[in-house]
Amino acid sequence: MGSSYINEAESFNMIFFTVFGIVALFMIIGIGKTIGAGISNQAAELVQRPCKVLDKRTRVSGGSGDFSASTDYYITFEFDGGERKELKVKDTDFGMIVVGDRGELHYKGTRFLEFVRVMEA
């Protein structure tokens, strides 16, 4: 009876630390990817291209139970020749940019910097 209890405790410890290790590994990989993307964006050259705002979308995550929801904002820009680029933007930029706007997009890598609208007469 006593050795059965010890075996169960050892099994629990092994499972617990295995699951803990897997979760920790995924967290380290996620942090590494985030840091890598930031370094890559910082090293990228500043690009300024004329474009048209093609589409806007949001992605809401969380919000169940006692957790608050968060919203990510994305805008798709279309360049001459039909090439498209979707960038994550701040909520203030999302609100000020309208589908159909024409202007110049400034970005570095995957980081949105600014959209300068061109007023057409």
Side-chain angles (χ1 to χ4, degrees):
M1 186 169 185
S3 67
S4 174
Y5 175 75
I6 293 172
N7 288 338
E8 288 177 13
E10 287 176 0
S11 295
F12 173 78
N13 286 341
M14 187 173 74
I15 292 170
F16 175 79
F17 285 113
T18 301
V19 171
F20 179 78
I22 291 170
V23 170
L25 180 65
F26 278 111
M27 289 177 64
I28 291 169
I29 290 171
I31 291 168
K33 283 185 177 183
T34 301
I35 291 171
I39 290 170
S40 175
N41 283 337
Q42 195 63 29
E45 67 179 68
L46 172 64
V47 179
Q48 300 177 2
R49 295 177 69 183
C51 65
K52 176 182 177 181
V53 176
L54 193 62
D55 196 18
K56 295 168 62 171
R57 72 178 180 93
T58 59
R59 185 185 73 186
V60 179
S61 58
S64 63
D66 293 336
F67 298 100
S68 62
S70 65
T71 305
D72 294 321
Y73 301 90
Y74 298 90
I75 298 178
T76 302
F77 301 93
E78 184 175 51
F79 305 105
D80 295 336
E83 180 188 349
R84 297 175 180 180
K85 186 166 197 75
E86 182 181 65
L87 297 172
K88 185 176 178 179
V89 300
K90 296 178 184 171
D91 58 347
T92 52
D93 294 317
F94 187 84
M96 296 301 292
I97 298 172
V98 178
V99 172
D101 279 352
R102 292 190 172 275
E104 188 172 78
L105 173 63
H106 302 186
Y107 65 96
K108 283 182 84 169
T110 60
R111 184 181 300 148
F112 171 87
L113 297 176
E114 180 181 30
F115 177 75
V116 180
R117 183 180 295 110
V118 174
M119 303 304 275
E120 298 177 2

